[in-house]
Amino acid sequence: TGWYSPWRVAIMGTLNDIVESTLVTDVSEPCKLEDTSWIKPGLVSWIYWAYNHGSKDYKIVKKYIDFADDFDVPYVLIDWEWDVMSNGGNLTDALNYCKEKGIDPLLWYNSSTAWAVPTPLYRLNTSEARDKEFKWLKEMGIQGIKVDFFGGDSIATMNYYIDILEDAAKHKILVNFHGAAIPRGWQRTYPNF
């Protein structure tokens, strides 16, 4: 009929059919990673909902590490502003405490789009910057990242997501996208997501 759509798939049926469908994941590219043994999904102790700026307070971060330890939660997410942590310790102190307790840390990152200002900024914008940052993360014992504040759904932004997933996988880094497009199917192709 001459009508074209950018959509690659359409799902029709009842509301339950649509909501419960795995079609988008099923038609996504198969896993691109040869070794997935390092990927360990698990619960995360997370500071933000109770303490919006809590990750810049070492004593509060410590409480969430203790919570993870007490309840056998394998991960703790140290959210935004970890780069300015104070009140008795800094990021290195928090990571040492994680190691002492056997908790795997995850760190928050700003995607560094034009409208978002929470720190840290501009650490993942290029392949070179990501490589440097991901090497540092592994040296520090950090197992994953949460990347936040993506600005829109342009092809450049979609490519940025994929670049982050691919570069993170090279360094065996888990990835969580927040404030992001709904990334249907990417978990099949990049199970570190």
Side-chain angles (χ1 to χ4, degrees), residues 66-78:
D66 287 336
F67 174 87
D69 183 44
D70 291 345
F71 289 91
D72 295 321
V73 173
Y75 299 102
V76 64
L77 171 61
I78 304 174

Side-chain angles (χ1 to χ4, degrees), residues 111-175:
S111 73
S112 305
T113 55
W115 58 272
V117 295
T119 63
L121 288 167
Y122 310 114
R123 297 193 184 194
L124 304 178
N125 293 83
T126 66
S127 184
E128 296 79 20
R130 285 188 296 275
D131 187 56
K132 178 182 175 188
E133 196 71 8
F134 293 158
K135 282 180 183 175
W136 174 76
L137 291 173
K138 289 313 280 188
E139 289 170 9
M140 298 296 286
I142 295 160
Q143 299 304 308
I145 58 173
K146 171 186 170 183
V147 189
D148 202 349
F149 297 127
F150 288 89
D153 294 339
S154 69
I155 191 66
T157 302
M158 295 298 119
N159 289 338
Y160 185 33
Y161 288 118
I162 299 304
D163 290 345
I164 290 170
L165 288 168
E166 288 178 349
D167 288 345
K170 292 174 193 171
H171 294 275
K172 298 185 176 180
I173 299 283
L174 303 172
V175 178

